[in-house]
Every structure is written in C-alpha cells, then in structure tokens.
Amino acid sequence: MSDVTYLGADRMPSPGAGLSFGIDIGGTGVKGAIVDLRTGDFVGERHRIETPQPATPEAVGRTVTEIVDHFGWTGPVGLTLPGVVKDGILRTAANIDDAWIDTDVRALFSSQLGGRGVTVLNDADAAGLAELRYGGGAHVEEGLVVLLTLGTGIGSAVMYNGTLIPNTEFGHIEVRGKIAEKRASAKVRKDNDWSFEKWAEKLSEVLRMYERLFSPDLFIAGGGISRKADKWIPHLTNSVPVVPAQLRNTAGIVGAAMAVADDL
Ligand code: BGC
C-alpha cells in the first residue's frame, strides 16, 4: 500500500512527491484517481461517474472536470480513450460515439481543465504501461509482450523490451473474414451465452493469428473477464503463455497517470 496519507478534499496531496492523476474514459463510466507512482496504488478511493448520454466530447469533458474537481487536483491529468490517439487527436472510435473522430481531445480536455497539461492515450496502451510496471508483466524485461483488454472490444498494447509501441489495434485484425473483437471479445461471449470453454476456443484462434503475425513471448489478458481467468485460461490451445492482468480495473487510470507524468 501507499505510504502517502490521504489528506481529505481541503488538503489534497499535490503533484510532485511521486503523485499523478489518471482518468479512464469508458462507454459506461468515467473513473479517476490520484496515483502514487512509486507503488501504482491509488491514494484514497477512485471516483466514478456514469458516462453522460449522449457521450459527446463536450459532455464527457464536463464529467472529466467534475472528477478532477472532486479531488481538488490542480496538476496535469492523464486520460484514456478507447481509440487511436495520435498527437492529441482521436482518430478512431469503434465503440464510442462517432462525434469523437478527429476531435483534438488534448486541446478539448486541456481547455475544459483551465488550460493545464493533459496527455491522452489509448485505453489498452495505458493498461499495458501499468501492467508492465506494476502487474502481470513486471518480471518481463525483455521480449515482446502483448496485453489484450477483453471487454466490449479487444484492445491491445504491444511492448518490446519494456517500451510501448502505441496505437496497435489487434482487435481489428481479421481472422477468417471477421475482425477479432467481433469473434472473441467478452461481449461476444455474453451476447452468445457461450461457456468459458467455448469462448476459449474462439479466443485461441485469435491468439494463434497474433502468434503467426507477431511472435510474442507473452500475452497478458486484461478486462473484467481476467478476474475469472481460472475458468478459461486452462482451456486455451494457443502456444504462447497467457497470464491474467493483475491490476484489473485500476490499470487504465494508473497507466494514464504514468503517461502524463512521463511527458513532463
Ligand atoms: C478500439 C481500441 C480500444 C479497444 C478497447 C477497440 O474497439 O478500437 O482502440 O483500445 O476497443 O476499448
């Protein structure tokens, strides 16, 4: 656990002292927390607000401001979005409102947060950074690690010798004529009411394709379904080892906090 004392809203810990702030923007919830970068732990509780509907950039921006204000945080903020983010601009939006495409999300969030520094990155990339430093990849210093977030879609983070190669979109690689995330995301399992065993078969096919294309050394499986990893990892039939993510639903926030701190 963190050795930083949570001071209460009137006396917030300030940036510096190894603290940073991350926000994970998802289709159902926007979640934020102060992160102690020495440990990867939250300082106090995270704060979650339902994603506003319609989830326009401006409406989500207001929710982001509400979360930051809740903590009285005055420093820079790292944020995640479920799409490709290049130079602060969101280029794709597979599972969020199309209104986001080509939005300068860095400028938008920065101006809504009073002009402070912000870093915006892909949600799976954030999870990958966090897992590699504090979680399931912490022991892997060399080689190619692929973290997959198995949720509504499939997100990916590719890390080579500890360095993130950002904005990979493994969920959109076609496997027998259908993109991977439409074949084997956690949502597809739920929608089809598949057993874990059956789903593991579908996921194995996707993983084998990734193996053929990228020859990874390790897969880290993230997303809510990684909590039940013992029910499906044993049924996988691909070759490369798959380990469950360890940070679970904190990884996006922690990775966002890491990203903004590293940019400074
Ligand atoms: C998006 C990715 C995202 C993933 C998980 C995919 O549909 O294209 O950018 O990381 O979903 O949210």
Side-chain angles (χ1 to χ4, degrees), residues 215-238:
S215 304
D217 298 295
L218 179 73
F219 287 114
I220 303 175
I225 204 156
S226 64
R227 249 168 286 164
K228 296 180 182 146
D230 55 323
K231 292 195 166 36
W232 54 270
I233 287 186
H235 297 298
L236 293 172
T237 56
N238 66 298

Side-chain angles (χ1 to χ4, degrees), residues 173-243:
I173 290 176
E174 270 189 29
V175 179
R176 282 192 302 111
K178 197 175 187 177
I179 62 168
E181 73 176 15
K182 299 277 181 230
R183 273 193 182 281
S185 67
K187 179 175 187 295
V188 172
R189 183 187 93 86
K190 210 166 161 205
D191 290 350
N192 289 287
D193 207 14
W194 286 336
S195 65
F196 281 108
E197 199 168 348
K198 166 128 187 161
W199 178 66
E201 215 178 281
K202 308 277 179 189
L203 185 60
S204 298
E205 189 183 13
V206 165
L207 296 178
R208 278 197 297 271
M209 173 64 94
Y210 296 162
E211 287 170 5
R212 279 200 295 280
L213 294 175
F214 302 99
S215 304
D217 298 295
L218 179 73
F219 287 114
I220 303 175
I225 204 156
S226 64
R227 249 168 286 164
K228 296 180 182 146
D230 55 323
K231 292 195 166 36
W232 54 270
I233 287 186
H235 297 298
L236 293 172
T237 56
N238 66 298
S239 312
V240 172
V242 180
V243 296

Side-chain angles (χ1 to χ4, degrees), residues 3-261:
D3 57 356
V4 172
T5 313
Y6 187 70
L7 298 170
D10 53 335
R11 292 175 58 222
M12 272 299 123
S14 56
L19 300 183
S20 185
F21 197 93
I23 295 196
D24 195 15
I25 300 171
T28 55
V30 183
K31 296 140 278 179
I34 297 172
V35 177
D36 184 341
L37 294 176
R38 289 165 297 186
T39 59
D41 291 323
F42 290 169
V43 179
E45 297 292 311
R46 70 167 197 177
H47 187 57
R48 179 185 188 278
I49 298 179
E50 299 279 304
T51 306
Q53 297 303 333
T56 59
E58 287 71 24
V60 171
R62 282 191 292 275
T63 305
V64 162
T65 306
E66 216 180 310
I67 291 177
V68 173
D69 288 350
H70 168 87
F71 289 93
W73 181 259
T74 54
V77 174
L79 303 114
T80 76
L81 279 170
V84 169
V85 188
K86 289 282 270 185
D87 297 325
I89 297 172
L90 189 73
R91 292 296 183 195
T92 68
N95 294 310
I96 52 167
D97 203 295
D98 280 353
W100 285 87
I101 294 179
D102 293 336
T103 299
D104 187 336
V105 284
R106 184 168 54 200
L108 173 84
F109 292 134
S110 175
S111 96
Q112 291 208 348
L113 289 169
R116 79 181 82 190
V118 302
T119 293
V120 190
L121 76 166
N122 173 264
D123 55 358
D125 281 347
L129 288 176
E131 280 294 328
L132 202 67
R133 190 178 299 172
Y134 306 108
H139 56 291
V140 188
E141 278 159 19
E142 285 187 3
L144 192 78
V145 178
V146 175
L147 172 129
L148 299 170
T149 59
L150 305 163
T152 309
I154 294 181
S156 57
V158 173
M159 288 144 310
Y160 183 61
N161 289 351
T163 301
L164 173 73
I165 299 162
N167 289 313
T168 56
E169 286 285 334
F170 281 22
H172 294 261
I173 290 176
E174 270 189 29
V175 179
R176 282 192 302 111
K178 197 175 187 177
I179 62 168
E181 73 176 15
K182 299 277 181 230
R183 273 193 182 281
S185 67
K187 179 175 187 295
V188 172
R189 183 187 93 86
K190 210 166 161 205
D191 290 350
N192 289 287
D193 207 14
W194 286 336
S195 65
F196 281 108
E197 199 168 348
K198 166 128 187 161
W199 178 66
E201 215 178 281
K202 308 277 179 189
L203 185 60
S204 298
E205 189 183 13
V206 165
L207 296 178
R208 278 197 297 271
M209 173 64 94
Y210 296 162
E211 287 170 5
R212 279 200 295 280
L213 294 175
F214 302 99
S215 304
D217 298 295
L218 179 73
F219 287 114
I220 303 175
I225 204 156
S226 64
R227 249 168 286 164
K228 296 180 182 146
D230 55 323
K231 292 195 166 36
W232 54 270
I233 287 186
H235 297 298
L236 293 172
T237 56
N238 66 298
S239 312
V240 172
V242 180
V243 296
Q246 285 171 20
L247 302 188
R248 312 288 154 87
N249 61 1
T250 69
I253 295 175
V254 173
M258 285 169 68
V260 71

